[in-house]
Amino acid sequence: MHLLIFLSLFYLLDGYENVEILSSYPELNVTIPLLFNDNINISILSSIAPSSGNISVYQIVNQNTLILRQIYPASSYCLVYNKTLSCRTLSSTFNRINSNYTIVVDDNFVTSLFNEPLREIKKGVWNVMTSKYSTEALLRLNSDGSSYFSSYNQSQLLDDLLQQIKQSIPLINDHLKIIHNVQSDPSDFSKLLVEFLINKATNPLNEPSINDIVKDLNIIIKNKYISTLADKQFMIFLDDQYGFQIKLINELCHNVKFLDWFTNNVKSVLIFTIIASTDVTCLNILSSNFAGFNFLSALISKKAEMSIIYGAMIDLLIEDIPQLIIQACF
Ligand SMILES: *[C@@H]1O[C@H](CO)[C@@H](O)[C@H](O)[C@H]1NC(C)=O
Ligand SMILES: *[C@@H]1O[C@H](CO)[C@@H](O)[C@H](O)[C@H]1NC(C)=O
Ligand SMILES: *[C@@H]1O[C@H](CO)[C@@H](O)[C@H](O)[C@H]1NC(C)=O
Ligand SMILES: *[C@@H]1O[C@H](CO)[C@@H](O)[C@H](O)[C@H]1NC(C)=O
Ligand SMILES: *[C@@H]1O[C@H](CO)[C@@H](O)[C@H](O)[C@H]1NC(C)=O
Ligand SMILES: *[C@@H]1O[C@H](CO)[C@@H](O)[C@H](O)[C@H]1NC(C)=O
């Protein structure tokens, strides 16, 4: 009897406020990398089957306001492996730097093998936070590399490329990622740019900082024939003129000091040009910060018509842009 009480107490105190949940990935209250898109896992005490209850992710803004980021019934986008429910994450879900999110699991998200629905994980219980510091940087494939990547399975090649880049730093953690975008270099369409996301080290004493990684990779790539890349298979595909470069627009978004300097020293018309010529991902991140402010969304959907609206809007907006970026990013 005492043991039972003890056990129930133990489970009641369990962080998920749900006795049947053993653990989760990501865990409660942890910091995850920006654009985290590993599967979300929930490990359950007993055997289960996915059911119709929704699993959703919300961004928490100002304590009370929740913004939906993704939602689906467990039966559509989750699979069960050995008592673990493993669910898909869109790479657009955790797309705000230094932000809080809550993962909400509705009643009947899974059923036991006796067909009984399991209970929910309430709003605000399973919270995670995106990391505060991250930077996007680019490497460029040379002509050979660009045509090779265009004609083979890119996701496989990018996985392999990332592994070799990490080996050459060397980096064993998850702080460096390749993000979805591989696109032609606007200044030379025959060459592809591959975009990396670098997250701040969680353990600064033992892991290289963002700056270290960018600096090292730049040297390593520029000296690819004699550097650690010399014996790596993908070396021949990397552009050693280009090296490894930080994306300016992302520094504007994420780096307060740089933005300060930039807005004080550079004409706002230049900022506008940078925004207009940047990729849709960053515009999306910028515009998702404005509830009810449509200018940037209009920019996104009308990007093809940019050259037409550019002239009309530029007078109106030049003065507001720096303010806009500041509001957008901080
Ligand atoms: C998570 O954070 C909440 C609120 O800050 C706290 O009450 C709870 O104990 C934390 N849970 C864990 C497992 O750290
Ligand atoms: C799941 O969410 C969708 C979209 O909000 C909603 O239409 C549907 O009724 C929800 N399903 C359940 C079982 O609550
Ligand atoms: C999540 O579950 C899947 C399927 O069991 C597994 O392959 C993956 O490694 C799990 N992720 C983590 C971080 O445990
Ligand atoms: C399932 O979990 C059990 C107990 O943890 C383990 O012994 C078994 O190897 C696992 N099976 C698979 C397929 O992972
Ligand atoms: C995220 O949540 C933590 C803990 O509740 C809070 O201290 C922090 O201010 C929140 N951050 C944001 C950006 O809302
Ligand atoms: C490309 O490679 C990925 C990763 O190995 C794989 O999941 C995908 O099915 C492959 N796609 C094609 C079209 O072969």
Side-chain angles (χ1 to χ4, degrees), residues 199-211:
N199 282 293
K200 187 177 185 255
T202 37
N203 184 351
L205 287 182
N206 297 323
E207 298 164 3
S209 68
I210 294 177
N211 261 348

Side-chain angles (χ1 to χ4, degrees), residues 12 17-18 20 38 51 63 70 92 107 109-110 127 143 155 171 183 189 208 211 228 265:
L12 281 174
E17 299 177 18
N18 179 335
E20 272 151 322
D38 293 355
S51 186
Q63 313 278 340
Q70 66 169 51
S92 57
D107 281 333
F109 68 111
V110 291
N127 293 347
S143 310
S155 66
L171 197 65
Q183 42 183 252
F189 282 110
N211 261 348
T228 167
N265 292 281

Side-chain angles (χ1 to χ4, degrees), residues 17-302:
E17 299 177 18
N18 179 335
V19 298
E20 272 151 322
I21 313 274
L22 278 179
S23 62
S24 67
Y25 174 81
E27 290 165 29
L28 300 175
N29 301 345
V30 295
T31 300
I32 55 174
L34 187 67
L35 303 180
F36 173 91
N37 74 332
D38 293 355
N39 276 13
I40 292 172
N41 286 352
I42 308 172
S43 295
I44 317 264
L45 210 52
S46 49
S47 296
I48 43 159
S51 186
S52 58
N54 280 323
I55 295 186
S56 36
V57 177
Y58 295 86
Q59 187 189 338
I60 307 173
V61 190
N62 311 325
Q63 313 278 340
N64 307 320
T65 317
L66 296 184
I67 302 178
L68 181 66
R69 301 303 309 161
Q70 66 169 51
I71 182 167
Y72 52 70
S75 50
S76 320
Y77 293 96
C78 305
L79 292 170
V80 171
Y81 301 90
N82 209 8
K83 302 185 185 173
T84 294
L85 186 74
S86 189
C87 302
R88 186 165 161 210
T89 309
L90 300 175
S91 55
S92 57
T93 296
F94 297 101
N95 69 349
R96 296 297 324 286
I97 198 163
N98 192 24
S99 300
N100 288 325
Y101 293 84
T102 185
I103 304 169
V104 181
V105 177
D106 288 356
D107 281 333
N108 191 31
F109 68 111
V110 291
T111 54
S112 72
L113 287 193
F114 307 108
N115 240 348
E116 287 179 46
L118 263 64
R119 287 194 307 108
E120 66 188 343
I121 302 177
K122 291 198 184 71
K123 270 183 195 136
V125 170
W126 184 4
N127 293 347
V128 297
M129 180 188 278
T130 46
S131 104
K132 203 171 190 165
Y133 303 98
S134 69
T135 294
E136 284 177 25
L138 300 162
L139 64 69
R140 196 164 74 173
L141 300 174
N142 58 21
S143 310
D144 284 352
S146 300
S147 42
Y148 188 80
F149 269 68
S150 305
S151 41
Y152 290 93
N153 183 343
Q154 274 194 4
S155 66
Q156 183 62 60
L157 289 176
L158 290 175
D159 280 352
D160 296 347
L161 174 64
L162 179 62
Q163 289 320 313
Q164 293 183 16
I165 293 287
K166 285 168 78 167
Q167 282 165 19
S168 56
I169 296 175
L171 197 65
I172 44 172
N173 61 31
D174 210 19
H175 297 303
L176 185 69
K177 290 189 162 198
I178 290 186
I179 39 187
H180 38 91
N181 293 343
V182 176
Q183 42 183 252
S184 294
D185 184 350
S187 66
D188 181 350
F189 282 110
S190 72
K191 296 190 178 127
L192 293 176
L193 294 171
V194 181
E195 208 171 319
F196 288 77
L197 179 76
I198 312 165
N199 282 293
K200 187 177 185 255
T202 37
N203 184 351
L205 287 182
N206 297 323
E207 298 164 3
S209 68
I210 294 177
N211 261 348
D212 292 341
I213 293 177
V214 172
K215 258 182 4 215
D216 289 356
L217 269 181
N218 191 40
I219 295 171
I220 287 170
I221 293 174
K222 286 194 160 154
N223 298 282
K224 63 176 189 171
Y225 293 106
I226 58 172
S227 71
T228 167
L229 280 173
D231 67 352
K232 308 281 188 304
Q233 188 197 351
F234 280 95
M235 178 272 278
I236 52 167
F237 292 147
L238 305 181
D239 187 335
D240 54 352
Q241 307 292 310
Y242 192 88
F244 195 68
Q245 303 184 8
I246 284 188
K247 271 184 94 176
L248 181 61
I249 183 71
N250 285 81
E251 289 311 288
L252 284 178
C253 282
H254 300 153
N255 184 332
V256 190
K257 279 192 196 138
F258 183 75
L259 181 74
D260 263 358
W261 175 85
F262 198 82
T263 46
N264 286 326
N265 292 281
V266 183
K267 288 230 161 60
S268 48
V269 63
L270 182 54
I271 300 178
F272 187 84
T273 311
I274 290 169
I275 291 185
S277 65
T278 194
D279 65 47
V280 173
T281 316
C282 188
L283 285 180
N284 267 320
I285 291 176
L286 286 171
S287 73
S288 68
N289 292 294
F290 300 95
F293 194 89
N294 293 325
F295 160 64
L296 281 168
S297 340
L299 257 188
I300 293 162
S301 55
K302 296 245 162 95

